[in-house]
Amino acid sequence: MSIFSDNIRLLRAQKNLSQQEIADKMSMSRVRYSKYEDGRSEPPYEILIRISKYFNVSIDLLLTVDIRKYPLEEILKLPDNRIVLPVVVDKLGNNSIEIVPQKASMGYLSGYSDPEYIESLQRISLPFLTHGKYRAFPAQGDSMPPFKDGSYIIGKYIENIEELKANKSYVFVTLNDGISYKRLEAKKEKSITVAADNPFYKPYEIPLGEIVEIWQYTSGIFPEDFEPDHFEHYNLKDMFLELRKDIEKLNHKLPENFK
């Protein structure tokens, strides 16, 4: 037996079809198809593609994830067949929060779609969180005060881009930048505009095709107190920002031969 054979048997059962009916749809004999379900034979890639398209499940998911472990009605299938695991609660009924560790944050982009990776994350619970799927991400840099290195941003999973609201903060997981925490400025047809709360950083656009996950900010974890001198640090950056703007204005006014 293999993960693949177990998966296609389950998917066939979900459709209430016999092996002969599936074989007919795949343009093969029942005996040949039964060997795939029994694990006695491995299908060539063209058959894999055919099965994947029929069940609307990616080949990667068919071959590597035992979908019997996850109730199908609770599995969220996105366009690339990623799985967001069902909501987990503790003994008191509080939602569990999966924590992405600081040292492993760079590996999240390759692990977010792996159920074993997600299940390996440590969990905590906060009683005031409402129903939903929550995850805690490590803060990096100084673009979103008062969060700084060592802090954690707790986000609630957002299923649809249409749920995004201007001026709200989100954790965006993207193909190019990985994990980033920013405030939404605007939604466009093919992209969104986000900005940091620290004005030293300029707003920028994220193409919708690069977004793999979105988590709306709900709370934060601060291992250390936010010290007053951090505000002075940000004010200093504001001064440099204004200076940079002044220089840009002067450059526009200078004749071309002086640039």
Side-chain angles (χ1 to χ4, degrees):
M1 289 292 182
S2 66
I3 289 177
F4 173 75
S5 59
D6 290 335
N7 283 342
I8 61 174
R9 183 182 296 106
L10 176 65
L11 292 169
R12 176 176 63 81
Q14 290 292 318
K15 289 182 174 291
N16 294 317
L17 296 175
S18 66
Q19 287 188 343
Q20 184 63 61
E21 289 172 317
I22 289 291
D24 291 342
K25 293 179 183 297
M26 301 293 166
S27 301
M28 67 178 77
S29 68
R30 187 201 65 80
V31 174
R32 183 180 182 184
Y33 176 79
S34 68
K35 289 182 179 180
Y36 300 148
E37 277 201 6
D38 296 339
R40 291 176 291 154
S41 180
E42 295 181 355
Y45 72 89
E46 64 270 15
I47 298 298
L48 273 176
I49 294 173
R50 204 178 303 170
I51 293 174
S52 172
K53 288 183 176 180
Y54 177 74
F55 288 118
N56 195 30
V57 176
S58 71
I59 292 176
D60 179 64
L61 188 60
L62 285 174
L63 297 178
T64 62
V65 176
D66 186 353
I67 61 178
R68 296 175 304 169
K69 295 181 180 179
Y70 311 102
L72 291 182
E73 67 275 8
E74 295 182 1
I75 290 178
L76 175 62
K77 295 186 179 71
L78 298 180
D80 58 354
N81 285 139
R82 269 188 303 116
I83 293 180
V84 173
L85 298 182
V87 173
V88 179
V89 297
D90 62 15
K91 294 180 180 179
L92 298 176
N94 299 319
N95 285 4
S96 290
I97 304 166
E98 299 148 348
I99 301 176
V100 179
Q102 290 272 356
K103 294 182 179 180
S105 61
M106 294 299 292
Y108 183 78
L109 196 57
S110 58
Y112 72 89
S113 61
D114 182 356
E116 292 185 5
Y117 169 83
I118 299 302
E119 287 182 330
S120 71
L121 299 177
Q122 292 185 344
R123 291 178 170 85
I124 62 172
S125 297
L126 294 176
F128 56 81
L129 293 180
T130 58
H131 295 295
K133 182 68 179 178
Y134 294 90
R135 198 161 289 167
F137 297 88
Q140 296 179 341
D142 58 0
S143 65
M144 297 290 286
F147 290 99
K148 61 176 182 176
D149 292 347
S151 303
Y152 276 87
I153 300 156
I154 299 174
K156 181 179 180 180
Y157 185 71
I158 298 296
E159 297 185 20
N160 196 313
I161 195 75
E162 299 303 322
E163 297 180 44
L164 297 182
K165 298 179 180 179
N167 297 320
K168 294 291 185 180
S169 298
Y170 300 89
V171 173
F172 297 98
V173 182
T174 64
L175 295 174
N176 287 335
D177 297 331
I179 301 170
S180 61
Y181 175 52
K182 294 292 180 286
R183 191 175 299 277
L184 179 72
E185 283 201 344
K187 287 187 294 184
K188 300 179 181 179
E189 184 178 353
K190 296 183 179 180
S191 67
I192 58 174
T193 303
V194 300
D197 283 351
N198 184 346
F200 181 77
Y201 299 93
K202 292 184 177 181
Y204 63 94
E205 290 193 4
I206 302 176
L208 296 184
E210 292 185 7
I211 299 173
V212 294
E213 282 185 350
I214 302 175
W215 301 78
Q216 182 175 353
Y217 169 76
T218 57
S219 187
I221 303 173
F222 303 90
E224 301 176 11
D225 291 336
F226 189 72
E227 300 169 4
D229 61 355
H230 283 285
F231 288 106
E232 296 177 5
H233 177 63
Y234 293 123
N235 289 335
L236 182 60
K237 285 195 171 182
D238 291 345
M239 291 171 59
F240 279 111
L241 178 63
E242 292 301 321
L243 180 59
R244 185 171 63 185
K245 290 180 178 178
D246 290 339
I247 293 174
E248 290 177 353
K249 290 178 181 178
L250 287 173
N251 283 334
H252 286 303
K253 294 179 180 180
L254 286 175
E256 288 295 327
N257 59 328
F258 281 93
K259 293 182 180 181

